Amino acid sequence: QNARSMETSLDREGFLLANQQTQVTDFFSDTEITSIYEKEIKSLLIDITGAKRVEIFDHTRRASSIETQRQHGIREPAATIHNDYDDESGRRRLWDFFPQEAEALAQNRFGIINIWRSMNGPVSNFPLGLCDASSVADEDLVSVPRVSRDRVGTIQMTTFNPSHRWCYYPHMQMDEVLLFKVYDSANDGRARFTPHTSFEDPSIKDATSAGRQSIESRCFVFF
């Protein structure tokens, strides 16, 4: 369903849409991402979540155009329903990036929030679909290995449940950012994992006209 008419939160549904202008002119520039964009999204996350500290550890660019993928060496939109971490791998990422501090940081609540936005105009096709975390039961999530070049991680796949509520924000603009929680160390009933995927929107008649280009930033938030 169209989530633009919904009031959502990171701790209930696991996602929300925010407005934020960016000073970035070229999202393919690593220099602009480091010097401009990271400061912008850190400020946004602190304002929205009240986190005491934010650390960004990954940026993934994607494009629906094969030509753009080849030109910039980037990936296609993810087409499998998944969540980036499970209970164990979310904690393990903390030790991966902060081996000296992890023990102390893990004494307090922390999470991983992804920030997703368009890099080039409105997103018509292949938007990001999100499953309302409050509609997902623990037994719906299945941990599976994810093998990459440098490490073996664990992600969650999702089994079908007719109770799942799927949402998306049609025609996202470049001054809109989608925040969704992929891990939360707190196991107190709040949203911890948010299954998501891109999908081909059947209401878009010309599937080749979308030209989606997006960037997804993975961020640790410490409370």
Side-chain angles (χ1 to χ4, degrees), residues 105-139:
L105 290 171
Q107 298 301 310
N108 296 308
R109 178 185 165 224
F110 70 95
I112 303 174
I113 295 174
N114 292 1
I115 294 185
W116 191 96
R117 83 187 299 151
S118 170
M119 299 192 300
N120 183 27
V123 176
S124 296
N125 207 354
F126 303 101
L128 196 66
L130 305 113
C131 191
D132 179 344
S134 67
S135 71
V136 180
D138 290 344
E139 55 269 25

Coordinates of all heavy atoms in Angstrom, one line a residue, residues 105-139:
L105 N 30.5 -0.4 23.9 CA 29.4 0.1 23.2 C 28.2 -0.8 23.3 O 27.0 -0.4 23.4 CB 29.7 0.2 21.7 CG 30.7 1.3 21.3 CD1 31.2 1.2 19.9 CD2 30.1 2.7 21.6
A106 N 28.4 -2.1 23.4 CA 27.3 -3.1 23.5 C 26.7 -3.1 24.9 O 25.6 -3.8 25.0 CB 27.9 -4.5 23.2
Q107 N 27.2 -2.4 25.8 CA 26.6 -2.3 27.1 C 25.3 -1.5 27.1 O 24.4 -1.6 27.9 CB 27.5 -1.6 28.1 CG 28.8 -2.4 28.4 CD 28.5 -3.8 28.9 OE1 27.7 -4.0 29.8 NE2 29.1 -4.8 28.2
N108 N 25.2 -0.6 26.0 CA 24.0 0.2 25.8 C 23.3 -0.2 24.5 O 23.9 -0.9 23.7 CB 24.3 1.7 25.8 CG 24.9 2.2 27.1 OD1 24.3 1.9 28.2 ND2 26.1 2.8 27.1
R109 N 22.1 0.3 24.4 CA 21.3 -0.1 23.1 C 22.0 0.6 21.9 O 22.5 1.7 22.0 CB 19.9 0.5 23.3 CG 19.1 0.3 22.0 CD 17.7 0.9 22.2 NE 17.1 1.0 20.8 CZ 16.4 2.0 20.4 NH1 16.3 3.1 21.1 NH2 15.9 2.0 19.2
F110 N 22.1 -0.2 20.8 CA 22.5 0.3 19.6 C 21.7 -0.3 18.4 O 21.1 -1.4 18.6 CB 24.0 0.1 19.4 CG 24.4 -1.4 19.2 CD1 24.6 -1.9 17.9 CD2 24.6 -2.2 20.2 CE1 25.0 -3.2 17.6 CE2 25.0 -3.5 20.0 CZ 25.2 -4.0 18.7
G111 N 21.8 0.3 17.3 CA 21.1 -0.3 16.1 C 21.8 0.0 14.8 O 22.8 0.8 14.8
I112 N 21.3 -0.5 13.7 CA 21.7 -0.2 12.4 C 20.5 0.3 11.6 O 19.5 -0.4 11.5 CB 22.4 -1.4 11.7 CG1 23.5 -2.0 12.6 CG2 22.9 -1.0 10.3 CD1 24.2 -3.3 12.0
I113 N 20.6 1.5 11.1 CA 19.6 2.1 10.3 C 20.1 2.4 8.9 O 21.2 2.9 8.8 CB 19.1 3.4 11.0 CG1 18.4 3.0 12.3 CG2 18.1 4.1 10.0 CD1 18.0 4.2 13.1
N114 N 19.4 2.0 7.9 CA 19.7 2.3 6.5 C 19.0 3.6 6.0 O 17.8 3.8 6.4 CB 19.4 1.2 5.6 CG 20.2 -0.1 5.8 OD1 21.1 -0.1 6.7 ND2 20.0 -1.1 5.0
I115 N 19.7 4.4 5.3 CA 19.1 5.6 4.7 C 19.2 5.5 3.2 O 20.2 5.3 2.6 CB 19.9 6.9 5.2 CG1 19.6 7.1 6.7 CG2 19.4 8.1 4.4 CD1 20.2 8.3 7.2
W116 N 18.0 5.5 2.6 CA 17.9 5.3 1.1 C 17.3 6.5 0.4 O 16.3 7.1 0.9 CB 16.9 4.1 1.0 CG 16.8 3.4 -0.4 CD1 17.5 2.3 -0.8 CD2 15.9 3.8 -1.4 NE1 17.0 2.0 -2.1 CE2 16.1 2.9 -2.5 CE3 15.0 4.9 -1.6 CZ2 15.4 3.0 -3.7 CZ3 14.3 5.0 -2.8 CH2 14.5 4.0 -3.8
R117 N 17.9 6.9 -0.7 CA 17.4 8.0 -1.4 C 17.8 7.9 -2.9 O 18.7 7.2 -3.3 CB 17.9 9.3 -0.8 CG 19.3 9.8 -1.3 CD 19.8 11.0 -0.6 NE 19.0 12.2 -0.8 CZ 18.8 13.1 0.2 NH1 19.5 13.1 1.3 NH2 18.1 14.2 -0.1
S118 N 17.0 8.7 -3.7 CA 17.3 8.7 -5.1 C 18.5 9.6 -5.4 O 18.7 10.6 -4.7 CB 16.1 9.3 -5.9 OG 16.4 9.6 -7.2
M119 N 19.3 9.2 -6.3 CA 20.5 10.0 -6.7 C 20.2 10.8 -8.0 O 21.0 11.7 -8.3 CB 21.7 9.1 -7.0 CG 22.2 8.3 -5.8 SD 23.8 7.5 -6.2 CE 23.5 6.5 -7.6
N120 N 19.1 10.6 -8.6 CA 18.9 11.2 -9.9 C 17.4 11.3 -10.3 O 16.8 10.4 -10.9 CB 19.6 10.4 -11.0 CG 19.5 11.1 -12.4 OD1 19.3 12.3 -12.5 ND2 19.5 10.3 -13.4
G121 N 16.8 12.3 -9.8 CA 15.3 12.5 -10.1 C 14.4 11.6 -9.4 O 14.8 10.8 -8.5
P122 N 13.1 11.7 -9.6 CA 12.1 10.9 -8.9 C 12.3 9.4 -9.3 O 12.7 9.1 -10.4 CB 10.8 11.5 -9.4 CG 11.1 12.1 -10.7 CD 12.5 12.6 -10.6
V123 N 11.9 8.6 -8.3 CA 11.9 7.1 -8.6 C 10.6 6.7 -9.0 O 9.6 6.8 -8.3 CB 12.3 6.3 -7.3 CG1 12.2 4.8 -7.5 CG2 13.7 6.7 -6.8
S124 N 10.5 6.3 -10.3 CA 9.2 5.8 -10.8 C 9.0 4.3 -10.7 O 8.1 3.8 -10.1 CB 9.1 6.2 -12.3 OG 9.0 7.6 -12.4
N125 N 10.0 3.6 -11.2 CA 9.9 2.1 -11.1 C 11.0 1.6 -10.2 O 12.0 2.3 -9.9 CB 10.0 1.5 -12.5 CG 9.3 0.2 -12.6 OD1 8.9 -0.3 -11.6 ND2 9.2 -0.4 -13.8
F126 N 10.9 0.3 -9.8 CA 11.8 -0.3 -8.9 C 12.0 0.4 -7.6 O 13.1 0.6 -7.2 CB 13.1 -0.6 -9.6 CG 13.0 -1.4 -10.9 CD1 13.0 -0.8 -12.1 CD2 12.8 -2.8 -10.8 CE1 12.9 -1.5 -13.3 CE2 12.6 -3.5 -12.0 CZ 12.7 -2.9 -13.2
P127 N 10.9 0.9 -7.0 CA 11.0 1.5 -5.7 C 11.3 0.5 -4.6 O 11.4 -0.7 -4.9 CB 9.6 2.1 -5.5 CG 8.7 1.2 -6.2 CD 9.5 0.7 -7.4
L128 N 11.6 1.0 -3.4 CA 11.8 0.1 -2.3 C 10.5 -0.3 -1.6 O 9.8 0.6 -1.2 CB 12.8 0.7 -1.3 CG 13.5 -0.2 -0.3 CD1 14.4 -1.2 -1.1 CD2 14.3 0.6 0.7
G129 N 10.2 -1.5 -1.5 CA 9.1 -2.0 -0.7 C 9.5 -2.4 0.7 O 10.6 -3.1 0.8
L130 N 8.7 -2.1 1.7 CA 9.1 -2.5 3.1 C 7.9 -3.2 3.7 O 6.8 -2.8 3.6 CB 9.4 -1.2 3.9 CG 10.5 -0.3 3.3 CD1 9.9 1.0 2.8 CD2 11.7 -0.1 4.2
C131 N 8.3 -4.2 4.5 CA 7.3 -4.9 5.3 C 7.2 -4.3 6.7 O 8.2 -4.3 7.4 CB 7.6 -6.4 5.3 SG 6.3 -7.5 5.9
D132 N 6.0 -3.9 7.0 CA 5.7 -3.4 8.4 C 6.2 -4.4 9.4 O 5.7 -5.5 9.5 CB 4.2 -3.2 8.5 CG 3.8 -2.6 9.8 OD1 4.5 -2.7 10.8 OD2 2.6 -2.2 9.9
A133 N 7.2 -4.0 10.2 CA 7.8 -4.9 11.1 C 6.9 -5.4 12.2 O 7.0 -6.5 12.7 CB 9.0 -4.2 11.8
S134 N 5.8 -4.6 12.4 CA 4.8 -5.1 13.4 C 4.0 -6.2 12.9 O 3.2 -6.8 13.7 CB 4.0 -3.9 13.9 OG 3.1 -3.4 12.9
S135 N 4.0 -6.5 11.6 CA 3.2 -7.6 11.0 C 4.1 -8.8 10.8 O 3.6 -9.8 10.3 CB 2.6 -7.1 9.7 OG 3.6 -7.0 8.7
V136 N 5.3 -8.8 11.2 CA 6.3 -9.9 11.0 C 6.5 -10.7 12.3 O 6.9 -10.1 13.3 CB 7.6 -9.4 10.4 CG1 8.6 -10.6 10.2 CG2 7.4 -8.6 9.1
A137 N 6.2 -12.0 12.3 CA 6.5 -12.8 13.5 C 7.9 -13.3 13.4 O 8.5 -13.4 12.3 CB 5.5 -14.0 13.5
D138 N 8.5 -13.6 14.6 CA 9.9 -14.1 14.6 C 10.1 -15.3 13.7 O 11.1 -15.5 13.1 CB 10.2 -14.5 16.1 CG 10.4 -13.3 17.0 OD1 10.5 -12.1 16.4 OD2 10.3 -13.4 18.2
E139 N 9.1 -16.2 13.7 CA 9.2 -17.4 12.9 C 9.1 -17.2 11.4 O 9.4 -18.1 10.6 CB 8.2 -18.5 13.3 CG 6.7 -18.0 13.2 CD 6.2 -17.4 14.5 OE1 7.1 -16.9 15.4 OE2 5.0 -17.4 14.8

